[in-house]
Amino acid sequence: MDEKQYAMYVKSVTPTTNTFANVAKAFLVGGLICVLGQWLTGTFMEMMSWEKDTAATATTLCLVLSSVLLTGLNIFPSIVKFGGAGALVPITGFANSVAAPAIEYKKEGQVFGIGCKIFTIAGPVILYGTFVSWVLGFGYWVGKIMGFIG
C-alpha cells in the first residue's frame, strides 16, 4: 500500500463530524443543565426559604444525585452521546465519571472492582486539582510574605 492509497483509506474510515452541530448540541444540553440548576436554586430559596448558599449546595447535591441515577439507569451515556461536553463539563459529568467505573467493575468485587476502579477517570482530576490548588495557595502565601500581594 503506497502513501496515496493509505491516505485514501484513512480518509474513508475517519468519521466525519459537524463541529457547528456538536457545539450547538453541547450548548443546548449544558444550557438545560444550567437552567435546571438555576430553577432548583430558585425553588429551594422560594419554597424552603433557604439562603442562596444553602440552596446552591442542595442544587449541587440534586444534580450529582440525578447524574448518578441516570448513569445507573444507563440513560446518562445517551445524553453524553448527544450533548458531548455540554453534559460532561458541569458537575453532572464529574458524578458520572465516578459512578460509571463503579457500575462497570462491580462484578469484580467490592475491593478489586469498585474500590480499585472507582476513581479511574475522576482520580486524575482530583489529584491534579488538589495539587494545582496547593501550588497556587503556596504561591499566594509566598507573594503575601514578600509583599507582592496586598
Side-chain angles (χ1 to χ4, degrees):
M1 188 180 280
D2 69 354
E3 216 174 290
K4 285 185 180 183
Q5 286 177 322
Y6 182 72
M8 288 175 42
Y9 169 74
V10 168
K11 188 173 181 174
S12 70
V13 296
T14 303
T16 58
T17 58
N18 184 338
T19 304
F20 181 77
N22 289 342
V23 169
K25 288 190 259 183
F27 180 78
L28 176 70
V29 171
L32 288 173
I33 292 170
C34 291
V35 166
L36 174 63
Q38 282 300 122
W39 178 80
L40 284 170
T41 301
T43 301
F44 289 138
M45 289 173 65
E46 182 81 23
M47 297 183 84
M48 307 293 270
S49 300
W50 289 348
E51 293 185 19
K52 187 176 182 181
D53 289 344
T54 306
T57 301
T59 298
T60 302
L61 292 173
C62 287
L63 290 174
V64 167
L65 177 64
S66 64
S67 175
V68 170
L69 290 174
L70 291 173
T71 299
L73 296 171
N74 205 25
I75 297 170
F76 200 79
S78 299
I79 296 170
V80 171
K81 188 174 181 180
F82 176 79
L88 290 176
V89 172
I91 190 127
T92 53
F94 186 75
N96 171 263
S97 73
V98 174
I103 293 166
E104 183 176 346
Y105 294 104
K106 71 180 176 184
K107 60 185 161 271
E108 295 181 25
Q110 294 290 319
V111 175
F112 293 113
I114 296 173
C116 291
K117 301 289 186 175
I118 193 165
F119 292 112
T120 301
I121 298 170
V125 175
I126 295 168
L127 172 70
Y128 291 113
T130 303
F131 178 71
V132 167
S133 67
W134 183 88
V135 168
L136 292 174
F138 183 76
Y140 179 79
W141 177 70
V142 169
K144 278 195 83 89
I145 287 175
M146 298 184 82
F148 297 129
I149 299 172

